[in-house]
Amino acid sequence: MSDNLDVLKQIAADVLYIDDLSDIIDDAPLGNHGFSSIDYIDLCFELKTKVSDKITPENLWPFDAMVTKEEYFNGDKWTDAGWKQVCDLLEIDPGSNPMMPNELVAFFTPAVLSRRVAQIMNG
């Protein structure tokens, strides 16, 4: 497990008041534990404090902001450029069928968030 993943899982467990860290599974959505938008803000704050001051709620999970930009999301679907950006950020196959924004929560996992932290720190 990477250092970022270890830290992220510990923070998520603390935010969610989970005593047994093994309950936080790398590839399972944090929503399975009742993770809320308030928990997200807490997670981002702790990551910013403990990992990197580059981490913000806007860049850790940028998809909500992306749907407000016509270049990425037009009408009720991702544009080609938008879906490519989603795939690049989530490190998924750009040839896959575009998902609706609310379906992306399936990727809101410790493993994916840990990769996002690395992308932000290296970007």
Side-chain angles (χ1 to χ4, degrees):
M1 207 173 354
S2 77
D3 289 340
N4 286 339
L5 183 55
D6 287 338
V7 171
L8 192 136
K9 286 176 67 172
Q10 184 61 59
I11 293 170
D14 292 345
V15 165
L16 293 166
Y17 301 101
I18 295 173
D19 293 327
D20 188 353
L21 195 58
S22 68
D23 287 345
I24 306 276
I25 299 174
D26 295 359
D27 294 320
L30 290 173
N32 293 355
H33 296 285
F35 199 85
S36 72
S37 57
I38 299 294
D39 297 328
Y40 177 69
I41 298 301
D42 290 344
L43 175 78
C44 290
F45 175 79
E46 292 297 325
L47 286 170
K48 183 175 185 146
T49 302
K50 295 178 180 172
V51 178
S52 172
D53 63 358
K54 293 181 181 180
I55 298 168
T56 67
E58 296 79 19
N59 67 10
L60 182 62
W61 196 254
F63 311 107
D64 293 333
M66 288 173 63
V67 298
T68 66
K69 298 179 181 170
E70 284 187 20
E71 67 190 277
Y72 294 127
F73 197 82
N74 196 345
D76 63 348
K77 64 180 184 172
W78 294 104
T79 63
D80 289 343
W83 184 243
K84 181 184 179 323
Q85 182 72 10
V86 168
C87 293
D88 288 349
L89 292 171
L90 293 175
E91 298 180 2
I92 59 175
D93 178 12
S96 61
N97 288 329
M99 301 170 75
M100 293 305 294
N102 63 330
E103 295 174 308
L104 296 177
V105 296
F107 295 99
F108 195 78
T109 67
V112 170
L113 292 173
S114 175
R115 287 196 305 269
R116 285 290 305 132
V117 167
Q119 289 170 344
I120 293 164
M121 290 172 59
N122 295 327

